[in-house]
Amino acid sequence: MPEEMGVNERKAKVAEALLIAAGDLLERWTEAHQSRGEEPPCEVGEAREYISTWLKRLPGNYWDDRLGEVE
């Protein structure tokens, strides 16, 4: 664990990684479900709204543009 980073900075870096992973998921939304032999539960736009709403309160200043704008 990097000692030079404080706990809040470490949390922000973890949040950044999660936001990037969420953006990656949205980029391959349909394919990710179809590769498991299922249809997506909703359209990617609807999934983007859910995900961005859930993740908008994560610590740090990073936001993945693939998640769209949130209020």
Side-chain angles (χ1 to χ4, degrees):
M1 167 170 53
E3 293 300 322
E4 64 277 356
M5 270 192 219
V7 68
N8 289 339
E9 190 174 2
R10 290 193 304 269
K11 286 179 180 181
K13 293 304 266 183
V14 171
E16 180 178 332
L18 180 58
L19 290 165
I20 291 169
D24 292 345
L25 172 64
L26 290 171
E27 277 193 343
R28 54 181 182 75
W29 181 251
T30 301
E31 296 83 3
H33 287 84
Q34 290 176 342
S35 71
R36 296 189 305 260
E38 55 189 51
E39 289 299 314
C42 61
E43 296 294 322
V44 68
E46 185 177 354
R48 180 179 290 110
E49 287 180 37
Y50 296 149
I51 291 169
S52 62
T53 298
W54 295 332
L55 300 180
K56 69 183 177 184
R57 292 202 169 119
L58 288 174
N61 296 320
Y62 180 81
W63 186 255
D64 193 303
D65 291 335
R66 298 172 294 177
L67 299 175
E69 294 184 24
V70 292
E71 296 177 19

